Amino acid sequence: MSPAAEGTRWLAEGPPEAPLAVLAHGLEDSWRTWLPLAAVLGQRWRVAALDLPWQPGTDYRWRQRPAADALADAIAGLDAHIDLLVAHSYGANATLHLLCRDALPARRVALICPLYRPPGRAVTWTLFDRARAAFERHIHESLRSRQGDRLARTPDDVLATMTRKALDRAGPAGFLAVFEQYVTSAALPLDRVRPPVLVLGGGDDPTLTPAAAGALAGALPDARLIVDDRYDHFCHLRHPAEVAARLCAFAAHQKLEEVP
């Protein structure tokens, strides 16, 4: 396993015997989104974050091939068996596709706020409009989350301008990439998934409702479910210590109810 593997950022390099956690980011995000979580996990884990094609500033030509294939290439570059793969949002959906192919070399998988449509939920124009509003909210909240301590010093009009620029940069292609993953998730053969999976969601996430999170966990052969009412789509940024504790408990086969 080489630290210079293309598309990989090593955020914590522990001793060789330490377990390996690999992190996959969401759309219009990057490996930097994992820094707060990696700072906590790095006390016990080796932590690698993948730099995936759907990072900010792309022209979306990467959509010409399945996101799962790009994720598979990045994982293959590690040349290692993964103890825990943690994936967020769009990256979580790419992970689900690999899981359904039985093509993911990971002992355990955690999906943070995946984009899942229960099969019974019809695709309507109302759903489309709600999904677009949720996409715009996610872009805004992602920017707020990444401000960290600077948020209190960032004027509202400056943050609004940053959000507009980010939305313009993503454009319709960005939204359609997300919406397509959401719509097609209902047809995934989830019964083929082998590793244990943790589905982690939040009551304040407009994309993955508690009901949808429960439906996803219920359709997986071996799943654990956590829905915390305080969490939104970026809970790994806002509550890194709590999320890290839940991930460690899941990886250690502990009862998740024991984690505060």
Side-chain angles (χ1 to χ4, degrees):
M1 177 173 51
S2 169
E6 184 178 357
T8 303
R9 309 277 181 159
W10 287 91
L11 305 185
E13 294 189 51
E17 65 274 11
L20 173 62
V22 175
L23 316 176
H25 63 77
L27 189 82
E28 287 290 320
D29 215 338
S30 75
W31 61 272
R32 292 179 179 84
T33 195
W34 297 113
L35 288 172
L37 182 68
V40 184
L41 284 180
Q43 299 171 22
R44 298 171 55 184
W45 295 70
R46 291 174 295 147
V47 183
L50 303 176
D51 221 358
L52 296 162
W54 43 89
Q55 60 189 286
T58 70
D59 59 8
Y60 283 86
R61 282 186 293 180
W62 53 263
R63 288 185 66 200
Q64 296 173 12
R65 69 191 293 250
D69 290 351
L71 177 61
D73 289 347
I75 290 172
L78 284 168
D79 191 26
H81 193 89
I82 301 166
D83 294 287
L84 177 66
L85 179 71
V86 184
H88 174 238
S89 193
Y90 192 86
N93 281 68
T95 300
L96 267 177
H97 280 266
L98 283 185
L99 284 168
C100 291
R101 296 182 197 171
D102 194 19
L104 187 63
R107 288 195 179 94
R108 290 186 163 236
V109 176
L111 305 175
I112 299 178
C113 300
L115 312 167
Y116 182 67
R117 179 177 68 92
R121 187 168 191 189
V123 180
T124 64
W125 287 114
T126 298
L127 179 66
F128 182 92
D129 291 339
R130 288 177 179 170
R132 180 176 175 182
F135 177 76
E136 293 180 358
R137 175 179 167 183
H138 289 338
I139 294 292
H140 176 71
E141 291 300 322
S142 177
L143 285 170
R144 285 176 55 87
S145 298
R146 292 200 297 266
Q147 291 299 302
D149 294 338
R150 296 171 296 173
L151 181 61
R153 302 189 301 273
T154 304
D156 290 343
D157 60 335
V158 172
L159 191 60
T161 299
M162 292 169 62
T163 300
R164 286 196 300 271
K165 288 182 178 179
L167 285 169
D168 288 343
R169 184 180 65 237
F175 166 66
L176 290 175
V178 169
F179 190 67
E180 182 180 31
Q181 285 278 21
Y182 173 72
V183 169
T184 58
S185 64
L188 288 172
L190 299 175
D191 59 315
R192 299 180 185 175
V193 174
R194 295 190 180 187
V197 176
L198 170 64
V199 178
L200 179 59
D204 196 28
D205 182 3
T207 302
L208 183 72
T209 65
L216 173 59
L220 292 164
D222 186 359
R224 314 291 186 273
L225 173 65
I226 296 176
V227 177
D228 193 311
D229 289 340
R230 298 168 299 142
Y231 289 178
D232 65 3
H233 198 68
F234 298 95
C235 54
H236 58 297
L237 270 168
R238 300 190 194 276
H239 306 278
E242 286 185 18
V243 171
R246 295 183 190 279
L247 293 174
C248 289
F250 171 64
H253 309 261
Q254 294 177 1
K255 292 182 179 180
L256 298 181
E257 293 80 2
E258 297 174 356
V259 179

